[in-house]
Amino acid sequence: MTGGVLVSFGLYLLHAAGVVTGGTAGLALLVGYLTGLPYPLLFVLANVPFFVLAIRRKGWDFTLRTASSVVFVAIASVVYALPGVLGTLTVEPVFASVVGNLLIGVGVVIIFRHRSSLGGFNIAALVLQERTGFRAGYTLMILDGLVVVASVLAVDPLLVLVSALGVVILNGSLVLNHRPDRYLGV
């Protein structure tokens, strides 16, 4: 829950500033900007295809934990977005990108260390890390970078650059803090 709260608050900051991030969370934000569809629905739907990979490669325990994390972040994001909780914030984009992505990065490390993920790209990155040793943070930086590049379709180019900074911060924190030989919450 701690990781989910941090991720949700980070996403709230990014959304308040109109900044995007990577992964299925960033993809859901981007599609939401383009279509107006609700973020929680898009976030859950974007994760569904990756659950097959999780079941096959990581097992049911991991998959159920991941599903719980995905649903928690989707629900918590709605709660944070409600005006009655935090109100409508005006957040400077660089601040939102730096702080929001740091919060997301710390939240993801907590979630990873407890044998869970936020689905989507996280599952693929963890499976690749286990099979090849290529660090999950690097895989996610590549995939997240692609999402940020695609965000040029819906976001001002300056915000795309700010978002790219956020992707480097988020995944840099994962590269530095998530290693398979460290604590795994067992």
Side-chain angles (χ1 to χ4, degrees):
M1 284 180 54
T2 302
V5 168
L6 292 173
V7 169
S8 299
F9 188 65
L11 289 170
Y12 176 74
L13 289 175
L14 298 180
H15 185 37
V19 177
V20 296
T21 190
T24 52
L27 195 57
L29 278 174
L30 174 59
V31 172
Y33 291 154
L34 291 171
T35 65
L37 292 172
Y39 168 78
L41 172 67
L42 294 170
F43 183 59
V44 171
L45 289 176
N47 280 291
V48 170
F50 291 95
F51 286 124
V52 174
L53 176 63
I55 292 167
R56 293 186 68 193
R57 298 288 181 197
K58 304 284 287 169
W60 279 101
D61 183 52
F62 172 87
T63 304
L64 293 174
R65 287 175 187 259
T66 294
S68 298
S69 296
V70 168
V71 170
F72 182 85
V73 168
I75 292 169
S77 296
V78 170
V79 171
Y80 281 127
L82 292 173
V85 176
L86 290 177
T88 303
L89 295 181
T90 302
V91 184
E92 198 278 325
V94 173
F95 174 84
S97 187
V98 171
V99 174
N101 279 294
L102 281 173
L103 289 168
I104 293 168
V106 170
V108 169
V109 167
I110 291 169
I111 290 167
F112 279 2
R113 287 188 177 174
H114 291 277
R115 295 172 299 167
S116 185
S117 78
L118 287 178
F121 296 170
N122 288 184
I123 294 169
L126 289 172
V127 168
L128 184 65
Q129 178 175 278
E130 288 174 2
R131 300 196 101 198
T132 68
F134 190 71
R135 302 270 284 282
Y138 292 128
T139 300
L140 289 168
M141 188 158 329
I142 293 165
L143 295 173
D144 291 352
L146 294 173
V147 172
V148 168
V149 168
S151 71
V152 77
L153 298 171
V155 179
D156 179 87
L158 183 58
L159 290 179
V160 172
L161 289 175
V162 171
S163 299
L165 168 69
V167 164
V168 171
I169 290 169
L170 167 59
N171 292 299
S173 70
L174 290 177
V175 167
L176 293 172
N177 294 298
H178 176 67
R179 292 184 22 201
D181 58 331
R182 290 188 177 163
Y183 168 73
L184 293 174
V186 179

